[in-house]
Amino acid sequence: MKNEEIAARFNEIADMLDILGEETFRILSYQRAARQLESLADDVEELVRQGRVDQIPGIGAALAEKIAEYVTTGRIAYHDELRAKFPPGVLDLLKVRGLGPKKVKILWQQLGITDLDGLRTAAQRHLLQRVKGFGEKTEENLLRAVELAKEGQARAFLVDAARVVGSIVAHMHATKTVERIEAAGSFRRMRETVGDIDILAVAKDRGAAGAAFVRMPGVVETLASGETKVVVRLAYTDYEGSPRTIQVDLRILDPASWGAGLQYFTGSKDHNIRVRTMAERRGLKMNEYGVFRDETRIAGDTEESMYSALDLAWIPPEMREDQGEVDLAASGRLPTLIEPTDIRGDFHVHTNATDGTEPLEAMVEAARRRGYAYVGISDHSVSATVARGMTAEQALARRDRVRSLNRGAKGFTVLLGTECDILDSGEMDYPDGVLKELDYVIASVHSRFTLPRKEQTARLVAAVQNPHVDLLGHPTTRQIGWRGPIELDLDEVYKACAHAGTAVEIDADPRRMDLSATQARAAKNSGCTISVDTDSHASGNLDWMRFGVGTARRAWLTADDVLNAWTLDRVRAFFA
Ligand code: DGT
Ligand code: CA
Ligand code: CA
Ligand code: ZN
């Protein structure tokens, strides 16, 4: 949907107007319109087609025109005009946690800072402290926030990479220049973020394939263009609606080396080194063209052949991080990783009763259509004021609605839960009497992110030990490119969860991916059950499950380790 893209541009217009010192009411009107678009369940393109944009509350004729302009031309001329008034990097400063338009204006106009590198240098040289409103502490925090923002900018979210890969593959197939095409690299290993995209192809006419590749829509620069390797920079819109670019490497392989190339360029580098060392010990040579004994190629057309030439079982890409997987493959003890099709439901789903965009019934229907057996509704509790949390009465009042949905449905069950805030020292936001009435309880931290490690750990341990708490939501609260993890002794938290029978979450929101794969693996090893959830705020977000499962696979989880791969009866027993 274009809703997010237009909202992102309206927000940027508001920020630019603010930096330029324009009148408040104009700034507010763009911000209000952006909020409306973000929370709109309807596709704005459809509204434009029906001439109904000005019926969206808070959107007058002038803004409706800009929305229509974007839908038809893909640009907003006014947005471009404003952007031209800024050095290109200045608006990146707004992506730093702790910086709003007012502070960006000061940094730019008083210190001449025009990009993230400039901000980092200024903070390192303690230049910020000289400006009113920036103390020593602010400077320290900004230095950390700038590193996060730079990382966030340098790498794409996995969801976005997946969309870009999908469009590249579709484009290349449509040009009929490739016989085979697949994405390798960190994308195939399902890392939570992707540095660049590595595409492998087989083509009869390499020149034609390369030419088709550089003519792809969205290519902004061709960085290399050879017989076997073509590199471009591609523009795309990220899932939050912001424009970005990413590098894409295309490598054209011989069919006889397809498996070797796929193995080599999937990586990781450490995994490859481990496997190649093994080959060398057997007197074999291994590279991106195959496995060779003397000058004879003994494997290379398929990836399986590459591994079996070394007496190894084929290793799932998500495990190829040199974490002991090669030894398991040698002894035939690789785990049977969870598959997307093992997932039977989703426990972290918001509705428009709090900060979601769609009604409960719409979210339920979307989950049912995915073929799930159950879905859990987990709106925010009252303390989550930014997320428009609901009171205990409101939460309980929905029981009848859920009961009547369940009465009509065969083979599909709605569970009514909550994402209940963990308060200051680990108490829950709802009283026990309320938590008891709900089917399950997710406990999450949405406040006091800066508590010292000892207190924060005690706070989470207390929360997961509450007998009504079933699941610890996004345990570290980190947000990629925005906010680091809270200070926490995670091992203590895992131990407490395992002991109390509280599951821990892999929250598959692209910015969160919390727990990470490494953490989820440690949680499993501590005896925890893991729930892979999407934290959906709109029905389309349910698609994030695939990437959460990717992280679960990177954590070596099997279907038996994952709560929402279990049957409803087993889940109910766990919650009980
Ligand atoms: P990224 O792009 O930073 O998210 O991570 P990758 O893993 O996609 O890394 P990339 O794009 O630099 O290279 C793709 C794969 O190619 C990498 O996973 C393994 C292989 N590769 C690249 N350079 C080397 C190398 O120097 N030695 C070995 N053994 N493999 C390499
Ligand atoms: Ca890559
Ligand atoms: Ca690459
Ligand atoms: Zn949350």
Side-chain angles (χ1 to χ4, degrees), residues 155 184-187 189 194-199 247 249 251 265-266:
R155 301 183 65 85
S186 53
F187 171 75
R189 303 197 314 278
V194 170
D196 69 4
I197 293 175
D198 303 282
I199 302 281
Q247 184 180 310
D249 300 349
R251 289 188 178 81
F265 291 112
T266 295

mmCIF file of all heavy atoms in Angstrom, residues 155 184-187 189 194-199 247 249 251 265-266, ligand 2:
data_model
loop_
_atom_site.group_PDB
_atom_site.id
_atom_site.type_symbol
_atom_site.label_atom_id
_atom_site.label_comp_id
_atom_site.label_asym_id
_atom_site.label_seq_id
_atom_site.Cartn_x
_atom_site.Cartn_y
_atom_site.Cartn_z
ATOM 1 N N ARG A 155 22.472 -1.237 6.169
ATOM 2 C CA ARG A 155 21.947 -2.562 5.885
ATOM 3 C C ARG A 155 20.436 -2.503 5.709
ATOM 4 O O ARG A 155 19.759 -1.715 6.348
ATOM 5 C CB ARG A 155 22.320 -3.525 7.019
ATOM 6 C CG ARG A 155 23.841 -3.630 7.218
ATOM 7 C CD ARG A 155 24.210 -4.625 8.289
ATOM 8 N NE ARG A 155 23.854 -5.993 7.951
ATOM 9 C CZ ARG A 155 24.617 -6.810 7.233
ATOM 10 N NH1 ARG A 155 25.774 -6.394 6.773
ATOM 11 N NH2 ARG A 155 24.212 -8.024 6.965
ATOM 12 N N ALA A 184 21.588 -15.590 -3.092
ATOM 13 C CA ALA A 184 22.474 -16.263 -2.137
ATOM 14 C C ALA A 184 22.789 -15.289 -0.995
ATOM 15 O O ALA A 184 21.933 -14.501 -0.603
ATOM 16 C CB ALA A 184 23.734 -16.737 -2.858
ATOM 17 N N GLY A 185 24.010 -15.365 -0.451
ATOM 18 C CA GLY A 185 24.458 -14.400 0.558
ATOM 19 C C GLY A 185 23.648 -14.428 1.849
ATOM 20 O O GLY A 185 22.949 -15.389 2.157
ATOM 21 N N SER A 186 23.760 -13.312 2.571
ATOM 22 C CA SER A 186 23.101 -13.212 3.879
ATOM 23 C C SER A 186 21.589 -13.293 3.748
ATOM 24 O O SER A 186 20.900 -13.693 4.678
ATOM 25 C CB SER A 186 23.495 -11.906 4.562
ATOM 26 O OG SER A 186 23.242 -10.817 3.693
ATOM 27 N N PHE A 187 21.065 -12.916 2.575
ATOM 28 C CA PHE A 187 19.611 -13.031 2.377
ATOM 29 C C PHE A 187 19.185 -14.492 2.461
ATOM 30 O O PHE A 187 18.223 -14.830 3.149
ATOM 31 C CB PHE A 187 19.193 -12.438 1.030
ATOM 32 C CG PHE A 187 17.756 -12.732 0.704
ATOM 33 C CD1 PHE A 187 16.744 -12.045 1.348
ATOM 34 C CD2 PHE A 187 17.421 -13.736 -0.194
ATOM 35 C CE1 PHE A 187 15.406 -12.338 1.098
ATOM 36 C CE2 PHE A 187 16.097 -14.036 -0.450
ATOM 37 C CZ PHE A 187 15.088 -13.339 0.197
ATOM 38 N N ARG A 189 20.680 -16.841 3.930
ATOM 39 C CA ARG A 189 20.895 -17.304 5.314
ATOM 40 C C ARG A 189 19.903 -16.669 6.278
ATOM 41 O O ARG A 189 19.917 -16.937 7.465
ATOM 42 C CB ARG A 189 22.335 -17.010 5.770
ATOM 43 C CG ARG A 189 23.409 -17.623 4.895
ATOM 44 C CD ARG A 189 24.769 -17.667 5.581
ATOM 45 N NE ARG A 189 25.151 -16.440 6.254
ATOM 46 C CZ ARG A 189 25.697 -15.368 5.677
ATOM 47 N NH1 ARG A 189 25.937 -15.384 4.361
ATOM 48 N NH2 ARG A 189 26.001 -14.304 6.378
ATOM 49 N N VAL A 194 20.526 -7.196 5.765
ATOM 50 C CA VAL A 194 21.277 -7.647 4.605
ATOM 51 C C VAL A 194 22.123 -6.480 4.094
ATOM 52 O O VAL A 194 21.601 -5.401 3.845
ATOM 53 C CB VAL A 194 20.287 -8.121 3.515
ATOM 54 C CG1 VAL A 194 20.989 -8.372 2.198
ATOM 55 C CG2 VAL A 194 19.553 -9.378 3.989
ATOM 56 N N GLY A 195 23.444 -6.703 3.969
ATOM 57 C CA GLY A 195 24.348 -5.644 3.513
ATOM 58 C C GLY A 195 24.190 -5.378 2.034
ATOM 59 O O GLY A 195 23.918 -4.262 1.608
ATOM 60 N N ASP A 196 24.382 -6.417 1.214
ATOM 61 C CA ASP A 196 24.056 -6.293 -0.199
ATOM 62 C C ASP A 196 23.412 -7.597 -0.643
ATOM 63 O O ASP A 196 23.460 -8.605 0.057
ATOM 64 C CB ASP A 196 25.281 -5.912 -1.051
ATOM 65 C CG ASP A 196 26.304 -7.029 -1.143
ATOM 66 O OD1 ASP A 196 26.056 -8.134 -0.621
ATOM 67 O OD2 ASP A 196 27.358 -6.802 -1.750
ATOM 68 N N ILE A 197 22.766 -7.532 -1.794
ATOM 69 C CA ILE A 197 22.036 -8.699 -2.293
ATOM 70 C C ILE A 197 22.904 -9.403 -3.325
ATOM 71 O O ILE A 197 23.464 -8.757 -4.218
ATOM 72 C CB ILE A 197 20.688 -8.254 -2.893
ATOM 73 C CG1 ILE A 197 19.792 -7.721 -1.766
ATOM 74 C CG2 ILE A 197 20.003 -9.404 -3.623
ATOM 75 C CD1 ILE A 197 18.472 -7.147 -2.252
ATOM 76 N N ASP A 198 23.042 -10.704 -3.199
ATOM 77 C CA ASP A 198 23.854 -11.497 -4.121
ATOM 78 C C ASP A 198 22.937 -12.387 -4.942
ATOM 79 O O ASP A 198 22.304 -13.295 -4.411
ATOM 80 C CB ASP A 198 24.831 -12.358 -3.309
ATOM 81 C CG ASP A 198 25.706 -11.508 -2.401
ATOM 82 O OD1 ASP A 198 26.666 -10.917 -2.907
ATOM 83 O OD2 ASP A 198 25.397 -11.397 -1.186
ATOM 84 N N ILE A 199 22.880 -12.104 -6.248
ATOM 85 C CA ILE A 199 22.013 -12.880 -7.135
ATOM 86 C C ILE A 199 22.880 -13.759 -8.032
ATOM 87 O O ILE A 199 23.873 -13.277 -8.596
ATOM 88 C CB ILE A 199 21.163 -11.946 -8.030
ATOM 89 C CG1 ILE A 199 20.315 -10.987 -7.183
ATOM 90 C CG2 ILE A 199 20.309 -12.744 -9.007
ATOM 91 C CD1 ILE A 199 19.070 -11.591 -6.594
ATOM 92 N N GLN A 247 22.966 -2.190 -2.817
ATOM 93 C CA GLN A 247 23.793 -2.753 -3.879
ATOM 94 C C GLN A 247 23.337 -4.175 -4.201
ATOM 95 O O GLN A 247 23.003 -4.940 -3.307
ATOM 96 C CB GLN A 247 25.255 -2.770 -3.437
ATOM 97 C CG GLN A 247 26.195 -3.263 -4.529
ATOM 98 C CD GLN A 247 27.634 -3.275 -4.058
ATOM 99 O OE1 GLN A 247 28.137 -2.288 -3.513
ATOM 100 N NE2 GLN A 247 28.310 -4.387 -4.266
ATOM 101 N N ASP A 249 24.642 -7.517 -6.465
ATOM 102 C CA ASP A 249 25.657 -8.191 -7.293
ATOM 103 C C ASP A 249 24.983 -9.308 -8.071
ATOM 104 O O ASP A 249 24.338 -10.168 -7.466
ATOM 105 C CB ASP A 249 26.729 -8.866 -6.415
ATOM 106 C CG ASP A 249 27.485 -7.888 -5.523
ATOM 107 O OD1 ASP A 249 27.338 -6.664 -5.711
ATOM 108 O OD2 ASP A 249 28.237 -8.370 -4.645
ATOM 109 N N ARG A 251 25.894 -12.526 -10.411
ATOM 110 C CA ARG A 251 26.985 -13.362 -10.910
ATOM 111 C C ARG A 251 26.406 -14.393 -11.859
ATOM 112 O O ARG A 251 25.418 -15.071 -11.524
ATOM 113 C CB ARG A 251 27.717 -14.044 -9.767
ATOM 114 C CG ARG A 251 28.535 -13.070 -8.952
ATOM 115 C CD ARG A 251 29.392 -13.797 -7.951
ATOM 116 N NE ARG A 251 30.212 -12.852 -7.197
ATOM 117 C CZ ARG A 251 29.788 -12.143 -6.160
ATOM 118 N NH1 ARG A 251 28.530 -12.245 -5.758
ATOM 119 N NH2 ARG A 251 30.599 -11.307 -5.543
ATOM 120 N N PHE A 265 28.756 -18.533 -2.588
ATOM 121 C CA PHE A 265 28.234 -17.169 -2.392
ATOM 122 C C PHE A 265 27.098 -17.104 -1.363
ATOM 123 O O PHE A 265 26.641 -16.025 -1.023
ATOM 124 C CB PHE A 265 27.801 -16.575 -3.733
ATOM 125 C CG PHE A 265 28.967 -16.300 -4.635
ATOM 126 C CD1 PHE A 265 29.169 -17.035 -5.801
ATOM 127 C CD2 PHE A 265 29.907 -15.323 -4.295
ATOM 128 C CE1 PHE A 265 30.265 -16.800 -6.616
ATOM 129 C CE2 PHE A 265 31.012 -15.081 -5.107
ATOM 130 C CZ PHE A 265 31.192 -15.824 -6.271
ATOM 131 N N THR A 266 26.667 -18.237 -0.878
ATOM 132 C CA THR A 266 25.732 -18.201 0.249
ATOM 133 C C THR A 266 26.483 -17.907 1.539
ATOM 134 O O THR A 266 25.963 -17.254 2.443
ATOM 135 C CB THR A 266 24.954 -19.536 0.351
ATOM 136 O OG1 THR A 266 24.139 -19.657 -0.808
ATOM 137 C CG2 THR A 266 24.058 -19.570 1.590
HETATM 138 CA CA CA B 2 25.536 -9.959 0.545
#
